[in-house]
Amino acid sequence: MERKPIIGLETHVQLDTVSKLFCACSTNAAEPNSSTCPVCLGMPGSKPVLNRKAVEFALRIAVALNCIINSQFFFSRKTYFYPDMAKNYQITQYEVPVGVNGFVQLKSGKKIRIRRIHLEEDPAALVHDAGISASRHSLVDYNRSGIPLVEIVSEPDIGNPNEARDFLDQLVLILGYLGVFRLGVNAMKVDCNVSLQGHERVEVKNITGTRAAEKALGYEIKRQSSVIADGGKIARETRGFDEQTLSTKSLRLKEQEEDYGYIFDADLAMVELSEKEIAEIKTGLPELHWQRAKRFVEEYGIDAYTAEVLASAFSLSNLFLELAKRVQPKLAAAFLTREVSAILNRDNLFLEELKLEPEAITELLKLLEQQKITEKNAKEAMIAYVHKKILPIDFIAREGLLKDLDSEETYKIIERVLGENQGAVSDYRQGAQKAMNFLVGIVMRETSGKADPKTVQRMIEERLKGE
Ligand code: ZN
Ligand code: MN
């Protein structure tokens, strides 16, 4: 019998702040344990101070995910004993989080409900395989201790691994537009709760990346199905996902929430938001992807499909906005969604990492706009730019890719120019040589100076003789 999978996700998102959640330590340090202080080392007597920016970011997320904002919220201590948490408790939110009862809409239109969104600190990083003492020791890096996280908890509305990936992709997209999270720079970790209808629930913890989440869920559903098919019982447990073998293994039997002994953290004041502050978060929200797609259609006359493709990659849509100031927007949109996307996808590259100059791409698109190069050669030039950092315009010059106008094209242009300038044509017929110079001038302009003026004059004379 097919059993329906029931999936809920708890997504931990690192907020893109300069300093940690409860102290002034930098969130961006390379040397292990170099960005620490008494607060994030959990020293007795140290006092946490809440990072205002992190609160603002959490509120933006809650608003964008359609949550009800709690105008008063506070922090709690979640007790557990482990070397990654020096003070033996994590500061998190339990009873009253930042926001509740929101939703994320999938590409299919299906809504996945969001139960809650809360702020919490990241624990330190444990390094288990540091190559010392034959792995009998683990190292702790407290740089990560106190990094601000937002945990986004969904209701169990997700029906299969594919939907889980769609959900996470939508989340990453929204967070990017909100300016609170940068993919590839900030960390995202997902805990997947998955069960088959009528059976116990299993949590697969600490999965990085949307593809890994999809894989882990696929594996876990198969595993649970076969346990049940063999007459076995699913244990309520916590499992880990191994990215190498793409399988999950048991870590421990699942603890209950009450085991953590949450208590109110009296070191932190209650956060109280006025109506005005909440309204400001709402009105100050950056443009989101669906709004941008709509704008692309309305302001630039781009078709709805292309607009959506452009808008569903944050950095691609930003590049488009730059290019659209300088070349035909439709041309820029087509080049980005067809050629540039294909180059990036083929080699699994991220636009953010490439640091391409809009100016250099503009020069290339201008040539395309004036039909001085073929689309194929424009793509070649773009590939050289992405992979070898050769400026497109240099590549085209070096490879001799500029189109030479052949006489047939020149002839077509002459036909059109003569048709549009009947007055000058009849002046010429009545002997005005100036009218010929005028016509040659227009043709030269229309060919962007690529034709030879003497040849053009001869061709016009031939053409008018023939009539
Ligand atoms: Zn610190
Ligand atoms: Mn958490």
Side-chain angles (χ1 to χ4, degrees), residues 202-304:
V202 168
E203 183 177 29
V204 187
K205 266 192 117 58
N206 276 335
I207 302 168
T208 39
T210 60
R211 264 177 228 191
E214 188 183 26
K215 291 254 159 52
L217 283 166
Y219 175 88
E220 192 50 30
I221 289 165
K222 269 201 198 120
R223 184 191 71 83
Q224 292 181 18
S225 299
S226 77
V227 168
I228 296 164
D230 292 347
K233 207 169 167 300
I234 302 295
R236 186 177 158 93
E237 63 181 349
T238 299
R239 299 178 72 89
F241 178 59
D242 183 335
E243 295 214 17
Q244 251 67 54
T245 60
L246 299 179
S247 62
T248 65
K249 64 171 196 293
S250 183
L251 296 176
R252 57 182 184 265
L253 291 180
K254 179 68 185 161
E255 58 282 348
Q256 307 286 326
E257 279 297 286
E258 47 270 29
D259 295 340
Y260 288 116
Y262 287 93
I263 51 162
F264 172 72
D265 192 325
D267 282 342
L268 287 155
M270 172 103 75
V271 177
E272 293 183 70
L273 301 166
S274 65
E275 297 259 325
K276 187 167 162 277
E277 281 170 308
I278 294 175
E280 273 168 10
I281 291 283
K282 285 181 182 167
T283 52
L285 215 58
E287 179 181 52
L288 291 171
H289 63 101
W290 59 85
Q291 294 162 325
R292 189 169 276 192
K294 198 161 158 262
R295 182 155 73 89
F296 285 167
V297 172
E298 287 165 0
E299 270 179 39
Y300 300 98
I302 289 164
D303 67 276

Side-chain angles (χ1 to χ4, degrees), residues 53-330:
K53 200 74 195 171
V55 174
E56 186 194 320
F57 282 2
L59 286 167
R60 264 192 222 171
I61 297 171
V63 169
L65 300 187
N66 315 289
C67 288
I68 297 163
I69 306 294
N70 283 317
S71 57
Q72 283 190 335
F73 52 80
F74 57 90
F75 289 86
S76 295
R77 299 174 173 185
K78 177 179 178 177
T79 312
Y80 73 88
F81 184 74
Y82 207 60
D84 66 2
M85 189 52 76
K87 58 189 182 299
N88 294 336
Y89 61 82
Q90 178 191 26
I91 306 179
T92 180
Q93 296 187 286
Y94 185 54
E95 293 87 346
V96 186
V98 172
V100 295
N101 298 339
F103 66 86
V104 168
Q105 191 154 15
L106 302 185
K107 280 203 207 83
S108 63
K110 177 174 172 179
K111 281 178 186 172
I112 305 297
R113 288 171 300 156
I114 300 295
R115 181 182 300 166
R116 56 186 275 137
I117 291 177
H118 67 252
L119 268 165
E120 64 184 27
E121 57 179 340
D122 208 356
L126 291 176
V127 184
H128 294 296
D129 194 15
I132 50 160
S133 308
S135 77
R136 287 169 57 91
H137 295 82
S138 288
L139 302 178
V140 193
D141 182 359
Y142 285 97
N143 283 354
R144 209 169 77 196
S145 171
I147 295 267
L149 302 179
V150 144
E151 182 172 336
I152 300 164
V153 183
S154 87
E155 293 290 348
D157 292 345
I158 298 167
N160 57 58
N162 194 279
E163 273 186 7
R165 183 172 163 182
D166 189 357
F167 173 83
L168 293 170
D169 284 341
Q170 291 301 313
L171 215 51
V172 167
L173 186 61
I174 293 169
L175 297 169
Y177 270 92
L178 290 175
V180 302
F181 172 81
R182 279 182 294 157
L183 190 62
V185 177
N186 303 125
M188 182 183 230
K189 276 191 194 146
V190 190
D191 300 342
C192 301
N193 289 291
V194 51
S195 64
L196 295 175
Q197 201 162 34
H199 294 272
E200 271 298 350
R201 167 158 60 94
V202 168
E203 183 177 29
V204 187
K205 266 192 117 58
N206 276 335
I207 302 168
T208 39
T210 60
R211 264 177 228 191
E214 188 183 26
K215 291 254 159 52
L217 283 166
Y219 175 88
E220 192 50 30
I221 289 165
K222 269 201 198 120
R223 184 191 71 83
Q224 292 181 18
S225 299
S226 77
V227 168
I228 296 164
D230 292 347
K233 207 169 167 300
I234 302 295
R236 186 177 158 93
E237 63 181 349
T238 299
R239 299 178 72 89
F241 178 59
D242 183 335
E243 295 214 17
Q244 251 67 54
T245 60
L246 299 179
S247 62
T248 65
K249 64 171 196 293
S250 183
L251 296 176
R252 57 182 184 265
L253 291 180
K254 179 68 185 161
E255 58 282 348
Q256 307 286 326
E257 279 297 286
E258 47 270 29
D259 295 340
Y260 288 116
Y262 287 93
I263 51 162
F264 172 72
D265 192 325
D267 282 342
L268 287 155
M270 172 103 75
V271 177
E272 293 183 70
L273 301 166
S274 65
E275 297 259 325
K276 187 167 162 277
E277 281 170 308
I278 294 175
E280 273 168 10
I281 291 283
K282 285 181 182 167
T283 52
L285 215 58
E287 179 181 52
L288 291 171
H289 63 101
W290 59 85
Q291 294 162 325
R292 189 169 276 192
K294 198 161 158 262
R295 182 155 73 89
F296 285 167
V297 172
E298 287 165 0
E299 270 179 39
Y300 300 98
I302 289 164
D303 67 276
Y305 175 76
T306 306
E308 208 180 303
V309 174
L310 266 185
S312 48
F314 183 49
S315 47
L316 197 69
S317 74
N318 286 335
L319 180 57
F320 168 75
L321 285 173
E322 287 300 312
L323 297 177
K325 291 176 195 159
R326 303 161 171 124
V327 293
Q328 290 168 18
K330 278 185 189 171

Side-chain angles (χ1 to χ4, degrees), residues 20 22-26 35-41 145:
K20 294 185 179 181
F22 298 116
C23 61
C25 292
S26 166
S35 183
T36 56
C37 72
V39 172
C40 56
L41 288 173
S145 171

Side-chain angles (χ1 to χ4, degrees), residues 368 371-379 401 403:
L368 194 59
Q371 300 184 8
K372 287 186 183 172
I373 50 169
T374 61
E375 254 177 67
K376 189 176 155 290
N377 286 337
K379 186 176 181 181
L401 298 180
K403 260 196 222 170

